């Protein structure tokens, strides 16, 4: 048996983990991807160890059958292939929620629900692993009401998923290093993996006689996607109690009168810090992030024509202000100076006159 036999034998856990982290690394940098992989595994391992060797928290008490894991990599009796699965499921849930327009807490909640929804059917199937190719790798000593799984298990999944999605929100914050704003490759992989997991789970659930476990899982995934789409479509509809929406309670935001466009994340942060009251809203196509304050919107656009396609510019806005560093324009520029452009250079090099 080769040294990498545990990876080959559990390819269905390691391969998605490697692919998802590689795509995160491509978009946001290797350091962020490595940090996500390490922190994600550590969080999942701590939760599993606490449930198997510790006080039974947070998943409830269960035990791995070590005789069935002799060919797997283990740390303190916890198989590594199981711990890494939490991370790639969180990446898939977070990516899918963002792809359908989820923003802020709506995206976070949708991603958490998606991760837990997968386990609604996967855990009952894994508990019956002796009847398919997984093998009988663990057991719940006291059983549980959900096809043998205790309800505490899903409380633990909620907690772990919430932490991992929060880590993802931090890791993926800011301007990606590569790729378009939509991250098509990552979205495609996330959708494919989740679809395969749900499809395989449905087939196995039918074969093993626990088909009712599959329906709630799929329903929760669809509900999470719908939640993310709704919160992204109209963030004001889901505002926190006591927070007034511009234009009156319950009013939908109108077109921005002024758009402040910033190429870099820290430039947009400086604008928000200079005047408080900005709240994040769903960005238009081609814009990475957007905030609204009264009749004005602040956009994080990214640099260059690739990051900001022409259709994204708001024809209904009274003015577009580009805020950024002017030091490269000349030694006489100081912070707070305002430059009025007389021409815009199109992506093909043509100059379009402006009328400030």
């Amino acid at each position: 048996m080769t040294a990498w036999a545990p990876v080959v034998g559990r390819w269905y856990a390691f391969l998605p983990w490697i692919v998802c982290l590689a795509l995160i690394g491509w978009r946001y940098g290797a350091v962020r991807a490595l940090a996500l992989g390490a922190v994600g595994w550590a969080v999942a391992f701590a939760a599993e160890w606490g449930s198997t060797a510790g006080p039974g928290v947070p998943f409830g008490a269960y035990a791995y059958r070590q005789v069935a894991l002799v060919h797997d990599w283990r740390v303190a009796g916890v198989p590594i292939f199981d711990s890494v699965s939490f991370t790639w499921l969180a990446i898939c849930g977070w990516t899918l929620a963002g792809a359908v327009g989820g923003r802020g807490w709506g995206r976070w909640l949708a991603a958490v629900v998606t991760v837990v929804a997968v386990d609604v059917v996967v855990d009952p199937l894994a508990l019956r692993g002796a009847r398919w190719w997984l093998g009988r790798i663990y057991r719940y000593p006291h059983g549980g009401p959900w096809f043998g799984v205790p309800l505490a298990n899903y409380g633990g999944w909620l907690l772990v998923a919430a932490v991992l999605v929060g880590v993802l929100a931090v890791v993926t914050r800011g301007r990606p290093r590569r790729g378009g704003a939509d991250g098509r490759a990552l979205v495609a992989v996330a959708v494919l993996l989740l679809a395969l997991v749900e499809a395989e789970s449905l087939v196995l659930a039918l074969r093993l006689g626990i088909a009712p476990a599959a329906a709630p899982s799929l329903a929760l995934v669809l509900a999470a996607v719908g939640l993310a789409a709704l919160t992204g479509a109209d963030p004001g509809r889901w505002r926190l109690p006591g927070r007034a929406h511009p234009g009156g309670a319950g009013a939908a935001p109108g077109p921005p009168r002024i758009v402040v466009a910033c190429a870099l994340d820290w430039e947009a942060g400086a604008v928000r810090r200079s005047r408080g009251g900005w709240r994040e809203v769903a960005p238009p196509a081609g814009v990475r992030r957007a905030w609204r304050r009264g009749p004005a919107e602040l956009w994080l656009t990214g640099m260059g024509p690739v990051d900001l396609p022409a259709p994204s510019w708001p024809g209904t806005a009274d003015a577009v202000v580009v805020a950024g560093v002017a030091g490269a324009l000349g030694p006489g520029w100081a912070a707070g100076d305002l430059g009025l452009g007389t021409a815009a250079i199109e992506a093909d090099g043509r100059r379009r006159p402006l009328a400030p």
Side-chain angles (χ1 to χ4, degrees):
M1 179 174 292
T2 65
W4 293 100
V7 175
V8 176
R10 304 293 187 181
W11 63 269
Y12 49 85
F14 285 108
L15 182 60
W17 180 69
I18 293 170
V19 171
C20 287
L21 286 180
L23 290 173
I24 291 290
W26 174 256
R27 293 204 74 207
Y28 298 97
V31 173
R32 296 193 191 188
L34 291 173
L36 174 60
V39 173
W41 175 81
V43 169
F45 166 77
E48 292 204 278
W49 182 87
S51 300
T52 57
V57 176
F59 298 120
Y62 69 98
Y64 280 109
R65 297 182 68 249
Q66 300 300 321
V67 67
L69 300 170
V70 293
H71 301 306
D72 289 289
W73 289 334
R74 289 167 289 169
V75 176
V78 176
I80 292 178
F81 81 87
D82 207 20
S83 301
V84 300
S85 298
F86 287 82
T87 302
W88 67 260
L89 283 173
I91 293 174
C92 290
W94 175 253
T95 302
L96 178 61
V100 298
R103 295 293 183 272
W105 71 265
R107 181 179 184 182
W108 173 84
L109 180 59
V112 171
V113 171
T114 299
V115 174
V116 178
V118 170
D119 191 61
V120 167
V121 64
V122 166
D123 221 310
L125 290 173
L127 198 58
R128 294 159 174 81
R131 298 168 60 186
W132 52 291
W133 49 263
L134 178 67
R136 187 185 172 198
I137 61 174
Y138 74 107
R139 66 184 180 89
Y140 291 104
H142 309 295
W146 184 251
F147 300 97
V149 180
L151 297 182
N153 171 71
Y154 297 106
W157 271 78
L158 274 171
L159 176 62
V160 174
V163 173
L164 292 182
V165 172
V167 173
L168 258 169
V170 173
V171 168
T172 59
R173 184 169 182 171
R175 179 175 180 269
R177 294 178 58 184
R178 296 184 180 90
D182 52 359
R184 292 180 180 85
L186 189 55
V187 171
V189 167
V191 172
L192 177 62
L193 288 175
L194 289 173
L196 288 175
V197 169
E198 287 294 320
E200 181 191 38
S201 298
L202 175 59
V203 172
L204 286 173
L206 289 171
R207 289 187 58 187
L208 300 181
I210 57 170
S217 175
L218 181 58
L220 283 172
V221 171
L222 294 177
V225 171
L227 171 66
L230 285 174
T231 55
D234 184 6
R237 184 185 306 168
W238 306 95
R239 66 189 184 279
L240 294 175
R243 302 253 339 239
H245 191 285
R257 290 178 55 190
I258 299 175
V259 167
V260 182
C262 295
L264 303 179
D265 183 63
W266 71 268
E267 293 172 346
V271 174
R272 297 198 308 275
R273 288 190 297 272
S274 67
R275 294 290 298 275
W278 295 96
R279 63 179 184 83
E280 190 161 8
V281 297
V287 176
R288 300 186 183 282
R289 299 177 70 186
W291 298 264
R292 177 177 281 266
R293 183 182 186 276
E297 283 195 7
L298 170 63
W299 289 0
L300 174 61
T301 65
M303 296 175 61
V306 174
D307 280 320
L308 188 64
S312 297
W313 290 102
T316 56
D318 294 331
V320 176
V321 179
V322 179
V325 179
L329 298 180
W333 287 83
D337 288 351
L338 176 64
L340 298 179
T342 58
I345 301 177
E346 304 287 358
D348 58 5
R350 291 180 301 171
R351 297 177 66 87
R352 176 166 53 86
L354 298 176

